[in-house]
Amino acid sequence: MNTITLSSNPALSEALTLQRQTYLADPVPDYAQRRADLLKLKRFILDHQEALCDAISADYGHRSRHETLLAEVYPAVSGIDHILSHLRRWMRPQRRSVDWRSFFGASNRVVAQPLGVVGVIVPWNFPLNLSLVPLSYIFAAGNRAMVKMSENSRHLAAYLITHMPAYFPPEKLRFFDETGGVGVEFSKLKFDHLLFTGSGQTGKAVMAAAAQNLCPVTLELGGKAPAIVCDDFPLKTAVERILFVKLLNAGQICTTVDHAWLPVGKVDTFVDMARSLAVTRYPSLSSLDYTSIIDQRSFERLLAALEDARSRGARVLSLLDGPAFDAATRKIAPHIVLDAPPDSVMMQREIFGPILPLRTYSELDEVISCINSGPRPLAVYPFSYQNDKVQYIIDHVMSGGVSVNDALFHVGQHDLPFGGVGDSGMGHYHGHEGFETFSKMRPVFYQTRLSSMRFLWPPYGKFAEGVLKFLIR
């Protein structure tokens, strides 16, 4: 196999060469090997969970420990358990039918085989989840992996680089920090598959670089995922569920509720309920349960988006008493924004922060038309107990995934594929689809000792003519 790369980074190229060579020496690890890899990955998480929480919090400035346990440690551990319970069946060759008229006695199989070496480019918002969950499927499929962490995950990257080698040798798994230009060179490597999670703009650059090697990519991007609250749904329940998701990780989630649509006349009640709820959950900005914005640039971007909306006539409402933000800790209070103009920064770009614009509608088709006029979102969240309304939204709004009467949690279902569509990404992982993404689902045809196709060998004559008439009818 050709191991030539376009990277000018010797460490990356050497790591890929080593992993490619060891893959070629043992291209199809058996069930026992894969199970052992998954158990070692789980053991690493359990052995180091508190230190991992501390490292991620250090990268954020402050990250709620409970949020890290809930959104990163638990999904990784429970995901491995799910894979282990299904792996033997996933690895089993699949029987496929044969056209008996022309291939009598032959058989077909689809065999899941490892691709080889998989590259993973990890964002900063859920750096443990978005590195170790993909790794669990990469290892389940029998591959080796190189993982490039974000420049905003320096403490976590250093910890993984230091401690992971005690569990996995470099020919199986390597982590890399972003020290300047590493991501660009990483995406130029001739991987057998490349998984990228991040912004659409960076995703385009990664895909362009991978295309030079004809390297297949899975892109998990983002977008403006809407919640659509229908008239029949209890408003208090909608507020409770939407705010939990919106304020988790201070809104820094690609599948959070970007904005919410409400029936005309329900905005004031929604705001009142949201104020009461936010103060109960986060009494002040100093709450240890409330996470900081990742870096100064993101902090200033969010404040600028609020100011842009305010200057254009929008009502900007902080949901907590006291200051709207704390520059020292990079915390921004939960905000609701009303009447933001469609061309404001907040309504044009993914927010990625604790800011929830509310929009109103009279007819459901208004919402559908507005969503469909923009890029396809990574998720859509209909809130209704009327099945026909929910199905109408699902049928008429294409998105990467859907959570009904809640938000985000389709991502947490281990047996559902996760992925975007259009501008929000391509490809899937999680579940059986994750195993297949990192496998070559290889078709294998088994011919019989006596091939029926011998009756169609040239020179063609009357007998071949008769056979073809029998087949084509």
Side-chain angles (χ1 to χ4, degrees):
M1 184 180 294
N2 186 359
T3 59
I4 295 174
T5 74
L6 297 178
S7 174
S8 61
N9 185 311
L12 294 176
S13 297
E14 289 168 9
L16 177 58
T17 298
L18 175 64
Q19 292 201 357
R20 178 67 43 71
Q21 289 172 344
T22 51
Y23 157 72
L24 291 172
D26 182 21
V28 186
D30 61 16
Y31 171 78
Q33 290 175 282
R34 301 183 197 196
R35 184 175 185 274
D37 286 338
L38 291 167
L39 289 173
K40 279 193 287 186
L41 191 63
K42 179 179 177 180
R43 176 49 51 199
F44 171 81
I45 300 167
L46 295 177
D47 287 348
H48 298 269
Q49 59 180 307
E50 290 302 327
L52 293 168
C53 288
D54 291 342
I56 294 171
S57 185
D59 285 325
Y60 269 83
H62 172 73
R63 216 287 188 87
S64 164
R65 171 179 171 274
H66 292 92
E67 287 186 350
T68 299
L69 292 173
L70 174 65
E72 306 224 49
V73 174
Y74 171 66
V77 170
S78 62
I80 291 171
D81 291 339
H82 173 81
I83 292 170
L84 287 170
S85 68
H86 292 83
L87 182 57
R88 195 182 293 275
R89 177 172 58 84
W90 290 351
M91 291 177 63
R92 192 175 300 139
Q94 304 170 17
R95 288 178 176 268
R96 297 296 177 92
S97 62
V98 176
D99 184 351
W100 65 269
R101 292 178 297 180
S102 49
F103 301 103
F104 183 77
S107 62
N108 286 330
R109 300 286 187 275
V110 172
V111 181
Q113 290 190 305
L115 290 172
V117 183
V118 178
V120 184
I121 300 178
V122 183
W124 51 261
N125 60 329
F126 288 104
L128 192 68
N129 182 316
L130 296 173
S131 57
L132 301 193
V133 171
L135 277 176
S136 63
Y137 288 98
I138 290 166
F139 288 166
N143 298 289
R144 300 165 190 278
M146 293 169 56
V147 183
K148 204 285 294 185
M149 304 298 289
S150 167
E151 63 184 359
N152 283 328
S153 299
R154 289 284 166 76
H155 291 87
L156 179 61
Y159 195 88
L160 292 171
I161 290 168
T162 300
H163 295 279
M164 192 64 84
Y167 295 76
F168 295 97
E171 59 268 26
K172 183 70 180 184
L173 174 63
R174 280 284 301 273
F175 281 88
F176 295 89
D177 193 5
E178 178 56 75
T179 55
V182 175
V184 174
E185 296 304 315
F186 192 90
S187 62
K188 293 179 181 179
L189 294 171
K190 192 174 177 61
F191 290 115
D192 298 294
H193 195 98
L194 180 60
L195 169 64
F196 168 82
T197 305
S199 71
Q201 182 178 359
T202 306
K204 291 178 182 179
V206 168
M207 189 173 182
Q212 300 304 307
N213 290 312
L214 294 180
C215 175
V217 296
T218 297
L219 300 179
E220 302 299 350
L221 309 177
K224 297 185 71 62
I228 307 169
V229 182
C230 296
D231 252 325
D232 69 285
F233 196 84
L235 199 60
K236 184 173 184 292
T237 304
V239 171
E240 291 172 342
R241 295 179 182 181
I242 289 172
L243 276 198
F244 172 69
V245 170
K246 183 64 180 182
L247 301 183
L248 184 69
N249 205 41
Q252 298 167 107
I253 310 176
C254 59
T255 45
T256 193
V257 177
D258 182 87
H259 57 284
W261 289 88
L262 302 176
V264 169
K266 293 198 173 184
V267 169
D268 290 343
T269 305
F270 187 103
V271 171
D272 290 342
M273 290 178 173
R275 284 187 188 277
S276 176
L277 187 66
V279 172
T280 300
R281 290 180 178 171
Y282 309 102
S284 71
L285 276 180
S286 62
S287 168
L288 294 180
D289 295 326
Y290 196 56
T291 293
S292 297
I293 303 303
I294 186 65
D295 60 18
Q296 189 64 27
R297 182 177 63 178
S298 299
F299 180 75
E300 292 174 358
R301 176 185 62 79
L302 289 167
L303 293 182
L306 286 172
E307 185 54 39
D308 173 72
R310 185 183 290 111
S311 69
R312 291 166 176 262
R315 287 190 288 160
V316 177
L317 310 173
S318 175
L319 298 184
L320 299 184
D321 297 328
F325 62 89
D326 181 355
T329 60
R330 292 197 310 276
K331 289 188 177 184
I332 297 176
H335 280 73
I336 282 178
V337 178
L338 308 178
D339 305 318
D343 63 346
S344 61
V345 172
M346 187 174 300
M347 301 312 297
Q348 291 294 314
R349 293 183 53 185
E350 184 178 7
I351 295 170
F352 227 70
I355 301 166
L356 180 67
L358 299 181
R359 306 186 70 176
T360 60
Y361 70 95
S362 299
E363 300 293 334
L364 196 54
D365 282 335
E366 298 173 36
V367 181
I368 291 171
S369 177
C370 184
I371 297 171
N372 287 339
S373 68
R376 288 175 165 175
L378 185 54
V380 64
Y381 302 125
F383 286 77
S384 176
Y385 291 137
Q386 296 180 17
N387 292 336
D388 57 338
K389 281 188 179 179
V390 171
Q391 194 59 49
Y392 187 80
I393 293 171
I394 292 173
D395 288 345
H396 289 81
V397 177
M398 175 54 69
S399 66
V402 183
S403 287
V404 177
N405 297 333
D406 216 320
L408 178 65
F409 296 125
H410 66 287
V411 181
Q413 309 309 305
H414 295 307
D415 208 27
L416 287 180
F418 170 66
V421 61
D423 287 51
S424 58
M426 64 178 69
H428 294 93
Y429 69 104
H430 292 193
H432 186 223
E433 288 79 2
F435 175 81
E436 290 193 341
T437 288
F438 301 117
S439 299
K440 168 57 182 172
M441 303 306 292
R442 195 173 183 186
V444 182
F445 169 75
Y446 296 88
Q447 182 62 281
T448 58
R449 287 179 180 270
L450 179 64
S451 170
S452 56
M453 291 302 292
R454 69 191 305 272
F455 299 113
L456 289 175
W457 292 347
Y460 302 116
K462 289 184 179 180
F463 185 78
E465 188 74 20
V467 171
L468 288 170
K469 283 184 178 180
F470 170 75
L471 294 176
I472 306 170
R473 70 190 197 280

